[in-house]
Amino acid sequence: MNRSTRSNDRYGRSGGSRSAGSGGGSRSGGRNGGSGGRFRSQGPRRPKAAAPQGEFALPVTITPALPAAETFGELDMPAPLLTTLTRLGVTEPFPIQAATLPNSLAGRDVLGRGRTGSGKTLAFGLALLARTAGQRAEPRQPLALVLVPTRELAQQVTDALTPYAQALHLRLATVVGGMSIGRQAGALRNGAEVVVATPGRLKDLIERRDCRLDEVRITVLDEADQMADMGFMPQVTELLNQVRADGQRLLFSATLDRNVDKLVRRFLNDPVVHSVDPSAGAVTTMEHHILHVQGTDKHATTVEIAARDGRVIMFLDTKHAVDRLTKDLLASGVRASALHGGKSQPQRNRTLAQFKSGQVTALVATNVAARGIHVDNLDLVVNVDPPTDHKDYLHRGGRTARAGESGSVVTLVLPNQRREITRLMATAGITPQITQVRSGDAELTRITGAQAPSGIPVTIAAPVADRPKRSSSSSSSRGRRSRPAQARRAGNGDRSSAPRNGDRSSAPRRNAASS
């Protein structure tokens, strides 16, 4: 029986609650063998009350949660995982990891909220891998699933979990739009215990009969609020209806609102609820600045900030505005590159790699870069166009001050935007420092490191390996397709139903505990 058919009443449905003990309830084969699924008793349950916490009333945990772990060593995880954590320098769990891992390892459903950079990926990833260890997936039938809203976050999750999966001899497959669907189908046919996927591409592969979810025993929803905001809810619901009804659900996000409440009510059973930070997630190591600027001076101010020593991410509302500012910055001597949903996935991956290596110092982006991107030592984020939603502000700002580092978020505000930004900051729970600035001001330099650009135009060249090869003009090559033409034709059928404008990416993190 599918979990969703039992009842949609999260706060008063029938069904047994699970033990929070080390066994996590009755389970066949345990973590390293057998079915790995959960079998709940059908005894009566007392009604669930709602706790006024966060952006909506979070459910109260009925079955007492296990106490938080002080070290990874005291957790019930396979030795190879502990060895890998030590090798990568991950010595102490972050708060969200310490609180949720004892319970998720025991088989409990988890509803976790923590600000970006708080360590959510390892919080769900270590439990998922530990409870899948020792099992082998049949072709096209994964055992564990991580659903994420964008391509870049899927890659980030894959990168963060790969060394731990390799230590346990588990196979990972990444399933996202914008890449070869044939290769992804091949990875599933070869067998993959863990699949990290965006909903649209996974749905495509299921419809092609290249994947089945009826053996998925652990399902993770990462950044669930964004999936709801992006219109993925029908796809997510359809996919959750296909996984094992007795499986485990782990839902993690930096923010939780009423859109996510529908998923909580329908698919989570007596979850352990943990919130690392208040919903607003204002980071104590982060400074928030509102810079009041005049319309005639905004562009010059933006260029001076971009010309600073050190990297910066600059957010704008539209793809057109991103491309225009990037062109202006390059002409002014700033090594800038654009990132938005209109770029191909290889272009986006290349841009991020150049930004992380320092070849590009100013990343100009839409909200496509607001989540899932980790860059070491990034100390400044600039909202050239202020966000319209407080969650967008928090996620944009979350690209800095990650894993305990410090950083600043600067928002350029025109006179006619001041009232709306005041309301947005209040909703986000942030009290910013407000300063009136003009280009060339000492205060602008003090806050952002702004300086005059060199004025010498620069060009950001693609790596040699990324440049298309010319086909030979000799008679022996006539009739053969050039490599770019083959790639274009191969890509014609590679479409995902996931919205393009929300997709994103990342690379492995320096501090793996922050994953």
Side-chain angles (χ1 to χ4, degrees), residues 3 34 48 66 75 78 116 126 150 209 216 287 321 334 340 393:
R3 178 183 291 206
K48 183 178 294 297
L66 291 173
L75 294 168
T116 180
L126 292 176
T150 63
R209 299 186 178 179
V216 170
E287 292 185 359
V334 178
H340 55 65
Y393 178 89

Side-chain angles (χ1 to χ4, degrees), residues 304-494:
E304 289 185 6
I305 296 173
R308 70 193 294 265
D309 292 329
R311 289 171 297 182
V312 58
I313 297 182
M314 302 187 127
F315 285 101
L316 292 94
D317 287 339
T318 67
K319 293 181 285 187
H320 175 70
V322 165
D323 288 336
R324 184 175 57 203
L325 177 58
T326 302
K327 182 179 178 180
D328 290 346
L329 292 177
L330 289 169
S332 300
V334 178
R335 291 176 293 159
S337 191
L339 183 69
H340 55 65
K343 301 286 186 179
S344 70
Q345 193 60 39
Q347 287 175 320
R348 287 155 65 167
N349 292 343
R350 182 174 65 244
T351 293
L352 283 169
Q354 291 172 330
F355 185 57
K356 290 172 182 179
S357 70
Q359 182 180 355
V360 166
T361 57
L363 181 65
V364 188
T366 59
N367 275 342
V368 75
R371 302 195 193 193
I373 291 177
H374 175 86
V375 180
D376 291 335
N377 304 315
L378 177 66
D379 63 351
L380 182 63
V381 168
V382 178
N383 293 309
V384 179
D385 290 335
T388 56
D389 182 88
H390 75 283
K391 289 191 298 181
D392 287 338
Y393 178 89
L394 293 171
H395 288 297
R396 287 180 179 188
R399 299 313 98 205
T400 186
R402 298 178 68 82
E405 299 293 332
S406 60
S408 298
V409 183
V410 169
T411 303
L412 306 184
V413 179
L414 299 172
N416 64 338
Q417 297 172 325
R418 294 179 184 179
R419 181 175 298 178
E420 184 61 33
I421 294 304
T422 299
R423 284 197 294 263
L424 183 145
M425 291 293 172
T427 304
I430 290 169
T431 303
Q433 301 178 42
I434 301 175
T435 310
Q436 180 81 40
V437 299
R438 290 186 57 85
S439 57
D441 280 356
E443 275 296 278
L444 179 63
T445 299
R446 181 188 66 81
I447 295 169
T448 68
Q451 60 184 4
S454 69
I456 302 173
V458 295
T459 301
I460 305 298
V464 174
D466 290 345
R467 298 173 190 167
K469 298 179 181 179
R470 293 182 180 178
S471 59
S472 173
S473 58
S474 65
S475 59
S476 61
S477 65
R478 291 173 185 169
R480 294 185 298 182
R481 296 191 194 102
S482 67
R483 187 180 302 270
Q486 287 176 324
R488 286 194 299 269
R489 180 161 299 190
N492 285 341
D494 183 20

Side-chain angles (χ1 to χ4, degrees), residues 176-388:
V176 297
M179 307 296 284
S180 169
I181 195 171
R183 291 183 181 178
Q184 294 169 5
L188 292 168
R189 286 194 298 268
N190 291 334
E193 285 73 43
V194 180
V195 169
V196 181
T198 52
R201 175 50 61 87
L202 182 58
K203 182 174 182 290
D204 292 343
L205 287 162
I206 291 172
E207 291 175 348
R208 287 167 45 120
R209 299 186 178 179
D210 287 316
C211 184
R212 291 168 47 187
L213 301 182
D214 51 350
E215 290 299 322
V216 170
R217 300 154 187 175
I218 305 174
T219 305
V220 175
L221 270 68
D222 191 17
E223 302 290 8
D225 61 324
Q226 188 182 11
M227 283 193 275
D229 290 344
M230 290 169 58
F232 277 127
M233 186 70 77
Q235 291 178 350
V236 170
T237 301
E238 181 181 349
L239 294 171
L240 289 177
N241 283 335
Q242 297 178 49
V243 305
R244 288 177 60 126
D246 56 2
Q248 181 182 19
R249 313 283 198 266
L250 308 175
L251 191 153
F252 284 80
S253 185
T255 56
L256 297 172
D257 56 23
R258 295 189 183 279
N259 289 328
V260 183
D261 190 28
K262 297 177 183 178
L263 293 175
V264 175
R265 288 173 178 269
R266 184 167 182 179
F267 293 107
L268 268 65
N269 183 35
D270 186 18
V272 172
V273 180
H274 184 74
S275 180
V276 170
D277 300 302
S279 174
V283 185
T284 56
T285 57
M286 184 187 297
E287 292 185 359
H288 300 268
H289 292 272
I290 296 296
L291 301 186
H292 287 170
V293 297
Q294 298 299 316
T296 54
D297 192 53
K298 180 178 177 180
H299 182 72
T301 300
T302 301
V303 173
E304 289 185 6
I305 296 173
R308 70 193 294 265
D309 292 329
R311 289 171 297 182
V312 58
I313 297 182
M314 302 187 127
F315 285 101
L316 292 94
D317 287 339
T318 67
K319 293 181 285 187
H320 175 70
V322 165
D323 288 336
R324 184 175 57 203
L325 177 58
T326 302
K327 182 179 178 180
D328 290 346
L329 292 177
L330 289 169
S332 300
V334 178
R335 291 176 293 159
S337 191
L339 183 69
H340 55 65
K343 301 286 186 179
S344 70
Q345 193 60 39
Q347 287 175 320
R348 287 155 65 167
N349 292 343
R350 182 174 65 244
T351 293
L352 283 169
Q354 291 172 330
F355 185 57
K356 290 172 182 179
S357 70
Q359 182 180 355
V360 166
T361 57
L363 181 65
V364 188
T366 59
N367 275 342
V368 75
R371 302 195 193 193
I373 291 177
H374 175 86
V375 180
D376 291 335
N377 304 315
L378 177 66
D379 63 351
L380 182 63
V381 168
V382 178
N383 293 309
V384 179
D385 290 335
T388 56

